[in-house]
Amino acid sequence: MRSVAGQVFVLQVVIVLLLVVAAGVELVLQSRRDITREAANRSLAVAQAFANSPGIIEALSTPEPTVVLQPRAEAARVTSGVDFIVVMNTEGIRYTHPMPDRIGKKFVGTIAPALAGNTVIESVNGTIGPLVQATVPVKETDGSVVGIVSAGVRKAKIADTADQQLPLLLATAAGALALATIGTALVGRRLRRQTRGLGPAEMTRMYEHHDAVLHAVREGVLILDGSGTILLANDEARRLLPLPADTEGRKVAALGLDRPLADLLISGETVTDRVVSAGERLLAVNVRATDIHGGPPGRVVTLRDSTELQALSGRAELAGRRLKLLYDASGRIGTSLDVARTAQELADSAVPVFADFVTVDLAEPVLRGDEPGGTPSMMFRAGHSGVRPDSPFIPVGEPVPLVPDTPRARAMASGDAVLEPDLTAAFAAWQHYHPDRATGVQEYGVHALLTVPLQARGVVLGMASFWRSDRPEPFDEDDRSVAEELVARAALCIDNARRYTREHAMAVTLQHSLLPGGLPDQSALDLAYRYLPAQSGVGGDWFDVIPLSGARVALVVGDVVGHGLHAAATMGRLRTAVHTFSALDLPPDELLGHLDDLVNRIDQDASLDGDAPITGATCLYAIYDPVALRCTMARAGHLLPAVAHPDGSVEFPELPAGAPLGLVGMPFEAVDIDLPEGSHLVLYTDGLVEDRHRDIDEGLELLRSSLAARPGLTPEKTCDSVLEAMLPASPTDDIALLVARTRALPAENVDAWEVPADPSAVSGVRGEVSRRLAEWGLDDLAFTTELILSELVTNAIRYGGGPIRVRLLRDRTLICEVSDSSSTSPHLKYAASTDEGGRGLFLVAQFAERWGTRYTDTGKVIWAEQLLP
């Protein structure tokens, strides 16, 4: 009984007995309450049932109520199991009773509430023992009480549940005692195993010895459990760290230890003699797990003071911080090819680890992408960072003069870093140029400066200055080495960004010079366009609008894959070639064929020179005829155009894709599409419908929806609507969009007729032309037009073949066309004085503003244009 297990067993026995006694008392009390409630419910139910039974009111009104009611009452009593059912009059005289000798006597109980129409339930000691009786009134239909019924049952007659549950309670108590006995035996065995058979006295002596040794040694000892909670800390550990009085039971993270030591203790890593700083001390730390030989999970930590190594460790830590500064800066500086952003990244990387304020100033040519010539006398602030937002230095974007006789001026002149621990003399020089700024910097407590020129490839790009105000120590020689290394890396990034800026500016200038400066005058189409360069740089997307003969207009859109100068230059070469081939009035498929041959030759020359070939160039070429309301198109690997009809429907007409330019050399195929007046022809590049977050099918469907949502808009508003619905937040590719709404040349401005292949028919042509020009009010052009058509028709009759057809078009110019079935084109030449012919085309060229030949499927057309008066 003196053991812990025996004491626990006694405590368990006492608890079980107390619980059994409490449960028994509660069981008895609950049983009595249940008996009284059950007796009351049964008595009330029987009394109310009998009082409301049929015929009872009539029986009470007879001269002998007992004769009728006594048998019925006894039968109901036997059936319901109550001890009595008594019917009485309003004076309490019994009409019925189980004992006939009690009939006619006064009822024992309370009847006043029943006479008032209420129910009475009461416990009484009757002649048959303690019972519960219920008394209820018998009412007429008008609510008057004509009699009283009382029913009662003895409490002893209700079954006592306590007798049934008491054995179960005792069995449970016996089971609990058995479990307590078994548990006590198991606890005793566990304690003997854990104490290895030691008794209380032996355990006490062992604890006293261990405690004395633990607190006497001059080495800190900490014992932690598996969750990092300190279980024990000796006196030396409290002195070395230091630790608060309530250390035991607290987490290591909540003690406010220096981070290196706290991280080591929390990590659970096993270490041997690792030197860790803790405040002003250097501690040699050993950590071992306590569960290696089956012990509880946790760690034991020993701490040994190694303060004599503090100086060496401080220098090593400082060197580590500097190396980390350079390592982190290499990842933070040069994340983009923007000069100003790179300068700001240099300033941000050194605050607050290295300096309290950093300013970066660059020469103006550097910001433009140019290379500065010589030593810059004026620089602009490109980067600034500080430990406080209200900096006294010149803000970003403003000019920063190079003040003579200052550390910055000496650094710029020598090209080397200048370390200035005392800025008193410099403040005097700055006061002359910037008194307000100099005073503000001085009031901020700025006392030390380290300024380093930004140099790349032997060229000074600017100046980086490191300032200290909150730190009392000045910069030293080691700081100079770190700053020079940091600035050297940043200078290379800034120079790369500068060269990229220059190349980008050149590419933008080249591209803008190669793209159309505006739209040409023509009457066939209402046009609008948008060109949006990619954020990442200049690309090779392009478009063009080229007026052709016969009031026709050519629409071109193309895309050269890639960005930069090469893409822009390639785009310019292709656009120039298209203009050249368009001047020959070639059909779209033939023009793309000539363009494909040109690209192949360019690639061959590029391969010989070692240049990059043109890969991924696409093009779509379309010619719209406002007389026939027809558009002829061909494409070389480009996206399908969109056609928005006047009724709001949108389609992507089937058009053979063809291979991109310069890849296969296969022929291209043209398709004719009828476009009613008011239709919108939409040409675009892939940057509009495709990006990294949207595939091309989704983009085409979105384009269809945006065009169908608002039909009938002008081309300008259509461009705005399409870009509003489809423009990505950050375009990664160029976007070229060209919207053309078709017009029709009025029928009254077109006249055509066939001419017989007879020289005598020329005079008839002249007469027809004079008549038509008179109707149009162009009598001033009659003579020249007759002359032009006479020569062209005569050539067609003499050298061509029938049928010969003449067409006059009144557009922005007067257009004369003569077509025949011959594919032989006439050539302009200077006839000698002895030649009898050869001057016809020369006269046509002299009187016409433009003239030329175009070929058709059935022959050729020779045309000439004259300016309207």
Side-chain angles (χ1 to χ4, degrees):
M1 289 314 211
R2 294 181 181 179
S3 65
V4 175
Q7 294 172 1
V8 171
F9 175 71
V10 172
L11 178 61
Q12 291 175 336
V13 171
V14 172
I15 292 174
V16 170
L17 292 178
L18 290 176
L19 291 176
V20 170
V21 171
V25 172
E26 174 61 22
L27 183 62
V28 172
L29 294 177
Q30 182 65 33
S31 177
R32 290 182 179 180
R33 287 194 297 270
D34 292 344
I35 291 172
T36 302
R37 187 182 303 109
E38 177 63 21
N41 292 338
R42 188 181 299 182
S43 300
L44 179 61
V46 172
Q48 287 180 339
F50 196 82
N52 293 301
S53 62
I56 189 170
I57 297 177
E58 291 78 3
L60 289 174
S61 61
T62 61
E64 294 292 335
T66 301
V67 176
V68 178
L69 296 176
Q70 176 67 10
R72 293 173 59 184
E74 286 301 303
R77 178 183 67 82
V78 173
T79 302
S80 62
V82 297
D83 288 312
F84 66 86
I85 297 176
V86 175
V87 182
M88 66 196 81
N89 61 13
T90 56
E91 297 178 355
I93 303 303
R94 300 187 182 101
Y95 289 147
T96 64
H97 197 279
M99 299 178 182
D101 59 336
R102 302 296 176 92
I103 297 175
K105 297 183 179 179
K106 195 168 181 65
F107 176 70
V108 180
T110 304
I111 64 173
L115 294 176
N118 299 321
T119 299
V120 180
I121 299 176
E122 55 186 344
S123 297
V124 297
N125 287 322
T127 57
I128 58 178
L131 55 84
V132 177
Q133 64 185 15
T135 305
V136 299
V138 180
K139 298 180 181 181
E140 278 282 6
T141 57
D142 59 357
S144 59
V145 178
V146 297
I148 300 172
V149 176
S150 178
V153 62
R154 288 174 297 138
K155 293 182 180 180
K157 198 170 186 179
I158 305 300
D160 192 350
T161 58
D163 295 340
Q164 301 174 3
Q165 296 181 2
L166 188 59
L168 177 62
L169 178 63
L170 295 177
T172 302
L177 289 175
L179 290 176
T181 303
I182 296 172
T184 301
L186 294 176
V187 169
R189 290 181 58 188
R190 179 67 179 272
L191 290 176
R192 285 193 298 273
R193 185 169 62 252
Q194 290 183 344
T195 60
R196 291 177 171 79
L198 296 178
E202 292 83 356
M203 291 290 295
T204 301
R205 283 197 304 272
M206 181 180 295
Y207 172 78
E208 292 174 347
H209 292 164
H210 288 182
D211 187 64
V213 171
L214 183 66
H215 292 285
V217 297
R218 301 304 298 170
E219 189 169 278
V221 178
L222 295 175
I223 299 179
L224 292 76
D225 64 7
S227 63
T229 302
I230 294 182
L231 303 178
L232 183 145
N234 68 348
D235 296 340
E236 184 66 9
R238 296 175 185 273
R239 183 185 71 83
L240 293 176
L241 290 180
L243 296 174
D246 58 343
T247 298
E248 283 84 358
R250 297 177 61 180
K251 296 283 188 181
V252 172
L255 295 177
L257 301 177
D258 287 354
R259 185 170 180 177
L261 179 59
D263 292 344
L264 178 60
L265 297 182
I266 294 174
S267 67
E269 180 183 359
T270 299
V271 299
T272 301
D273 289 337
R274 178 176 295 182
V275 178
V276 180
S277 62
E280 297 180 354
R281 290 186 173 88
L282 286 178
L283 302 179
V285 182
N286 293 273
V287 181
R288 294 291 186 275
T290 58
D291 56 355
I292 297 178
H293 301 293
R299 298 179 298 280
V300 57
V301 181
T302 61
L303 309 170
R304 187 171 64 256
D305 192 359
S306 301
T307 308
E308 63 276 6
L309 301 176
Q310 185 172 6
L312 178 60
S313 175
R315 288 194 295 271
E317 184 180 0
L318 180 59
R321 286 201 301 267
R322 289 169 174 167
L323 289 176
K324 186 176 185 302
L325 167 65
L326 295 175
Y327 175 78
D328 294 341
S330 64
R332 296 178 59 182
I333 300 174
T335 59
S336 69
L337 290 174
D338 182 83
V339 173
R341 181 174 177 181
T342 305
Q344 184 61 44
E345 290 170 347
L346 168 60
D348 293 337
S349 64
V351 176
V353 180
F354 186 72
D356 298 322
F357 294 96
V358 177
T359 58
V360 180
D361 307 322
L362 297 178
E364 183 180 5
V366 176
L367 295 172
R368 297 195 307 266
D370 298 332
E371 185 170 309
T375 302
S377 59
M378 177 64 73
M379 293 182 290
F380 285 82
R381 183 130 298 164
H384 172 266
S385 183
V387 294
R388 287 174 287 179
D390 52 341
S391 170
F393 296 94
I394 296 174
V396 173
E398 293 190 9
V400 181
L402 196 61
V403 180
D405 300 328
T406 60
R408 288 162 49 86
R410 295 197 303 270
M412 186 63 72
S414 64
D416 298 325
V418 172
L419 190 152
E420 187 63 49
D422 186 5
L423 292 176
T424 304
F427 282 130
W430 286 326
Q431 284 285 351
H432 179 68
Y433 289 90
H434 289 285
D436 295 337
R437 293 289 180 187
T439 302
V441 173
Q442 198 168 13
E443 290 176 352
Y444 260 64
V446 176
H447 60 84
L449 168 64
L450 176 56
T451 182
V452 185
L454 280 159
Q455 300 182 78
R457 299 178 292 106
V459 178
V460 177
L461 307 176
M463 181 75 65
S465 301
F466 305 89
W467 314 78
R468 282 184 179 174
S469 60
D470 296 349
R471 300 185 183 189
E473 69 276 7
F475 292 102
D476 56 22
E477 291 299 326
D478 292 336
D479 293 328
R480 184 205 298 265
S481 301
V482 173
E484 288 176 341
E485 178 68 21
L486 181 64
V487 171
R489 297 185 183 185
L492 291 177
C493 296
I494 291 175
D495 188 56
N496 290 336
R498 177 194 63 79
R499 288 188 287 177
Y500 171 79
T501 302
R502 180 181 59 183
E503 179 180 342
H504 180 72
M506 293 172 59
V508 169
T509 303
L510 175 61
Q511 185 186 44
H512 287 177
S513 65
L514 295 176
L515 285 173
L519 297 177
D521 294 333
Q522 46 82 35
S523 303
L525 298 167
D526 287 331
L527 294 167
Y529 69 91
R530 296 290 186 272
Y531 180 80
L532 302 176
Q535 292 185 355
S536 59
V538 175
D541 291 12
W542 58 284
F543 67 94
D544 216 334
V545 178
I546 307 172
L548 300 177
S549 63
R552 300 171 305 139
V553 177
L555 303 177
V556 193
V557 64
D559 185 4
V560 177
V561 175
H563 296 85
L565 284 174
H566 178 70
T570 301
M571 177 267 291
R573 299 169 77 177
L574 294 181
R575 180 169 177 258
T576 302
V578 169
H579 267 271
T580 303
F581 295 139
S582 296
L584 300 177
D585 232 332
L586 298 175
D589 51 343
E590 293 185 21
L591 185 142
L592 290 181
H594 287 291
L595 194 62
D596 185 55
D597 292 338
L598 174 64
V599 172
N600 280 320
R601 288 196 298 271
I602 293 175
D603 285 347
Q604 292 174 5
D605 295 339
S607 62
L608 295 176
D609 297 338
D611 297 332
I614 302 174
T615 58
T618 64
C619 183
L620 187 148
Y621 189 85
I623 298 177
Y624 173 70
D625 187 349
V627 178
L629 297 181
R630 181 170 299 165
C631 185
T632 304
M633 294 183 287
R635 61 178 179 141
H638 203 78
L639 296 173
L640 287 172
V643 177
H645 295 283
D647 60 359
S649 61
V650 179
E651 65 172 336
F652 295 92
E654 290 297 330
L655 186 62
L661 298 174
L663 293 186
V664 180
M666 297 294 292
F668 299 94
E669 184 178 352
V671 173
D672 292 334
I673 300 174
D674 292 329
L675 295 179
E677 185 175 10
S679 300
H680 283 73
L681 179 62
V682 181
L683 309 181
Y684 52 90
T685 56
D686 58 355
L688 179 67
V689 296
E690 184 180 20
D691 64 10
R692 66 183 65 178
H693 304 296
R694 180 176 63 201
D695 59 31
I696 192 168
D697 292 333
E698 182 183 355
L700 291 175
E701 188 60 34
L702 184 59
L703 176 60
R704 182 198 302 272
S705 301
S706 62
L707 291 174
R710 302 176 65 184
L713 295 178
T714 64
E716 285 288 342
K717 293 184 178 179
T718 300
C719 287
D720 295 337
S721 176
V722 169
L723 291 180
E724 180 181 357
M726 304 189 62
L727 186 63
S730 299
T732 57
D733 195 5
D734 292 11
I735 295 175
L737 174 64
L738 181 61
V739 178
R741 182 171 61 186
T742 60
R743 292 178 180 175
L745 193 64
E748 60 270 16
N749 289 356
V750 180
D751 193 10
W753 66 92
E754 290 191 5
V755 178
D758 187 353
S760 62
V762 176
S763 61
V765 171
R766 288 197 297 266
E768 183 67 25
V769 168
S770 297
R771 181 187 60 79
R772 172 55 73 180
L773 293 181
E775 293 177 359
W776 287 346
L778 301 176
D779 295 320
D780 295 342
L781 298 178
F783 174 75
T784 56
T785 305
E786 290 177 11
L787 179 60
I788 291 173
L789 283 178
S790 297
E791 293 298 331
L792 296 182
V793 172
T794 300
N795 283 340
I797 294 173
R798 180 175 300 176
Y799 304 108
I804 300 172
R805 186 176 179 83
V806 176
R807 188 171 72 164
L808 292 180
L809 303 177
R810 182 188 178 189
D811 191 32
R812 293 178 180 269
T813 60
L814 179 62
I815 305 171
C816 304
E817 296 181 347
V818 176
S819 61
D820 59 58
S821 60
S822 172
S823 59
T824 302
S825 176
H827 297 282
L828 177 65
K829 66 178 181 177
Y830 290 91
S833 58
T834 58
D835 291 340
E836 295 182 358
R839 297 177 178 85
L841 288 181
F842 181 79
L843 292 176
V844 171
Q846 292 298 313
F847 288 109
E849 181 70 19
R850 294 193 310 153
W851 75 279
T853 304
R854 70 173 181 269
Y855 294 92
T856 64
D857 294 337
T858 58
K860 68 176 181 298
V861 176
I862 302 177
W863 54 270
E865 293 183 3
Q866 301 177 77
L867 297 178
L868 298 179

